[in-house]
Amino acid sequence: MKKKICVIFGGESTEYEISLRSAASIINELDKEKYDIMTVGITRGGKWKEYTGKVENIICDRWYDDSLKDVSVDLGGADGALIVYGNGKLEKVKIDCAFLGLHGANGEDGTVQGMLKLAHIPYTGPDMLTSCLGMDKAYTKIMLESAGIDQAKWVTVNDYDRDEIMKKVVDAEEIFGYPMFVKPANAGSSIGIGKAKNRDELMSAIDNAFKFDRRIIIEEFLSGREVECAVMGKRGVVRVSCVGEIKAANEFYDYEAKYSDKVESKLIIPAEFKDGIEKRIKETAKKAFIALDGKGYSRVDFFVNEDDGTVKLNEINTLPGFTSISMFPKLFMHEGFSYAEILDRLIEIGME
């Protein structure tokens, strides 16, 4: 009997467009012989709708119209169901597993995970706590620091610190100096990130980052090779991929360098290293995943400086992109998995 899989995409997030791309790839690659696929889109305004149209309309954001049926999570039952209603009719649909094609706020941050848990619907990816911690760069750094993982130095700035912003700026200048990066704490896909080479650029980057979140981090600039490692598994049983390297088309791997057709960043899989550095990267990726009590999958990003032998964790992404050009599936496909087999495994872990 086929499993009922609900792919959820979109959402109230600055990473809405990336979610559309990930979801389209997931829907196309799920084995239709194994799964009965339901597709639920969340609009930018937060409306949940059942989508039954063509997958290509998702990619170009033409999936929504007012005739789509409304969807809600059945929080009143224990059988793991969604409620679909429209045209004066209501239907309860039992879901075996929700495949989360969401990125960013209101999807990657534990909010949807908590709601699905209350509704007894299994889902792919980490649980609520891991998602919350993994989404917030400031709290992730605290957790990784406690696990003894080497990473960039940082200063956290909350919106209520802005009256004393110069103290934070001076702290950052004294701790690590220029250049430095400024990042919204709860945004992915390099959205809102700025590089500052002096105080004027730093103040401008801070103002921009606060447009995307109420908490930001000012972070030490790390030089070296930008590499990524994929992790898949559950507590205690974790598989780590080979390491891939990014040759960014822009000054750093920003949103345009990741997703724009106008620039072309290069992915090298597998990347080559000397002196046992690859082993250290893979061990640290696994350690970080376990430190956050990870489940399902994550992509762990590093900067490697072979001149001094340092391996520093940049960030961990607990719901990495699943687009046709995303590093996570590419890394495990190099390990011998097909795209469909990766999806199968993530569903298995979610249902376990």
Side-chain angles (χ1 to χ4, degrees):
M1 185 176 178
K2 291 183 179 182
K3 295 280 191 296
K4 187 75 171 182
I5 305 299
C6 179
V7 180
I8 304 177
F9 68 87
E12 299 174 87
S13 168
T14 54
E15 296 177 74
Y16 173 89
E17 290 89 354
I18 311 307
S19 174
L20 303 186
R21 299 188 193 187
S22 288
S25 295
I26 291 165
I27 295 164
N28 280 330
E29 295 292 340
L30 279 169
D31 189 338
K32 309 307 186 290
E33 297 297 318
K34 292 182 179 179
Y35 308 118
D36 179 14
I37 302 169
M38 177 182 183
T39 309
V40 172
I42 307 174
T43 69
R44 294 177 187 272
K47 295 179 180 179
W48 287 49
K49 296 287 186 175
E50 182 184 25
Y51 178 67
T52 58
K54 296 179 180 179
V55 175
E56 51 264 36
N57 287 338
I58 295 175
I59 301 174
C60 58
D61 197 16
R62 290 203 298 263
W63 66 273
Y64 176 81
D65 68 63
D66 291 334
S67 67
L68 297 179
K69 294 181 179 179
D70 293 310
V71 175
S72 64
V73 176
D74 183 19
L75 296 177
D79 53 352
L82 296 177
I83 297 173
V84 180
Y85 43 101
N87 302 321
K89 297 180 180 179
L90 184 149
E91 178 186 9
K92 183 180 286 191
V93 181
K94 173 79 169 64
I95 302 297
D96 291 301
C97 186
F99 203 112
L100 300 184
L102 302 167
H103 301 303
N106 303 306
E108 193 174 345
D109 56 3
T111 50
V112 171
Q113 288 83 350
M115 182 170 60
L116 293 173
K117 182 177 180 179
L118 288 174
H120 303 277
I121 298 175
Y123 54 87
T124 57
D127 63 15
M128 183 177 66
L129 179 60
T130 302
S131 299
C132 291
L133 293 172
M135 185 66 193
D136 191 300
K137 294 178 178 64
Y139 284 108
T140 299
K141 282 183 169 294
I142 293 170
M143 294 292 292
L144 296 180
E145 184 179 50
S146 70
I149 292 173
D150 198 10
Q151 58 187 326
K153 301 181 183 72
W154 83 98
V155 171
T156 300
V157 187
N158 292 288
D159 54 1
Y160 51 78
D161 296 319
R162 298 191 72 175
D163 290 340
E164 301 178 352
I165 192 65
M166 288 311 301
K167 181 180 184 304
K168 295 287 186 176
V169 166
V170 171
D171 286 345
E173 290 173 334
E174 292 179 349
I175 294 170
F176 38 79
Y178 295 99
M180 59 184 80
F181 277 103
V182 180
K183 303 177 179 179
N186 290 277
S189 298
S190 298
I191 292 171
I193 292 180
K195 183 179 179 180
K197 300 174 185 176
N198 53 57
R199 183 174 285 187
D200 286 343
E201 290 183 358
L202 178 58
M203 298 305 294
S204 177
I206 288 171
D207 287 340
N208 184 60
F210 269 122
K211 295 176 183 176
F212 298 94
D213 196 12
R214 66 177 186 83
R215 177 166 41 251
I216 67 172
I217 61 170
I218 307 173
E219 190 176 65
E220 171 191 18
F221 170 75
L222 296 179
S223 61
R225 299 166 63 184
E226 190 166 358
V227 304
E228 300 183 345
C229 187
V231 183
M232 181 165 57
K234 58 181 181 178
R235 297 166 180 99
V237 184
V238 180
R239 178 161 184 163
V240 183
S241 75
C242 65
V243 180
E245 182 174 4
I246 299 163
K247 298 287 189 181
N250 291 343
E251 184 177 0
F252 62 95
Y253 200 40
D254 59 8
Y255 185 93
E256 183 183 48
K258 287 181 177 180
Y259 301 112
S260 175
D261 295 331
K262 298 177 182 178
V263 297
E264 186 175 351
S265 295
K266 186 177 180 181
L267 307 183
I268 301 171
I269 302 173
E272 294 185 0
F273 302 92
K274 59 185 180 182
D275 302 328
I277 286 178
E278 181 178 18
K279 181 180 179 182
R280 287 168 54 199
I281 294 169
K282 295 171 74 170
E283 288 174 346
T284 306
K286 181 177 180 179
K287 185 177 181 181
F289 188 72
I290 293 172
L292 289 176
D293 198 25
K295 177 179 72 69
Y297 63 120
S298 290
R299 192 198 69 239
V300 192
D301 304 346
F302 297 87
F303 280 97
V304 175
N305 190 324
E306 290 185 293
D307 292 336
D308 59 16
T310 57
V311 173
K312 293 196 176 186
L313 191 148
N314 183 33
E315 64 180 33
I316 181 168
N317 191 320
T318 57
L319 279 186
F322 247 103
T323 72
S324 59
I325 60 172
S326 294
M327 184 70 96
F328 179 88
K330 283 182 174 292
L331 287 170
F332 269 112
M333 288 169 73
H334 186 272
E335 295 294 316
F337 288 83
S338 69
Y339 194 116
E341 287 170 340
I342 297 171
L343 300 179
D344 287 345
R345 183 60 187 137
L346 297 180
I347 290 169
E348 289 171 7
I349 295 169
M351 292 183 66
E352 288 170 0

